[in-house]
Amino acid sequence: MKTTDSLPTSVTAMMDVLMEDTHIRDALIVKNESVFEEVFNLFSGACVALSWKVLRDEAKAQDVVQNVFVELYTNPHKYDPSRGSLRTYLLTKSH
């Protein structure tokens, strides 16, 4: 197993994701709208698809996802990167 700074590659990759998600959360806390827009563009489609699978109603699925992203925008501090990725957080909130 390849190591970087004595950490296994998988742990290094996990640390990189954690740091990236932490930076994203910090940018959202200071209301960086371009970061929010990128997060929305990256994850909203998957969130709507998951919500639709649960609800089987496109309009309701979109409403759920809108509420998820409004909550992320207004309360980004509720997302804790140490508990999981931003993608996982958003998908969990969407179903």
Side-chain angles (χ1 to χ4, degrees), residues 22-42:
T22 299
H23 292 304
I24 292 169
R25 194 250 346 254
D26 292 348
L28 293 172
I29 286 172
V30 298
K31 304 297 186 217
N32 184 321
E33 292 187 19
S34 65
V35 170
F36 180 79
E37 185 176 343
E38 286 184 45
V39 168
F40 181 82
N41 290 337
L42 186 60

Side-chain angles (χ1 to χ4, degrees), residues 1-44:
M1 185 178 292
K2 184 179 176 183
T3 62
T4 304
D5 296 328
S6 303
L7 294 175
T9 303
S10 60
V11 173
T12 302
M14 288 173 28
M15 293 295 290
D16 289 344
V17 169
L18 175 60
M19 290 305 297
E20 182 176 318
D21 283 349
T22 299
H23 292 304
I24 292 169
R25 194 250 346 254
D26 292 348
L28 293 172
I29 286 172
V30 298
K31 304 297 186 217
N32 184 321
E33 292 187 19
S34 65
V35 170
F36 180 79
E37 185 176 343
E38 286 184 45
V39 168
F40 181 82
N41 290 337
L42 186 60
F43 298 120
S44 64

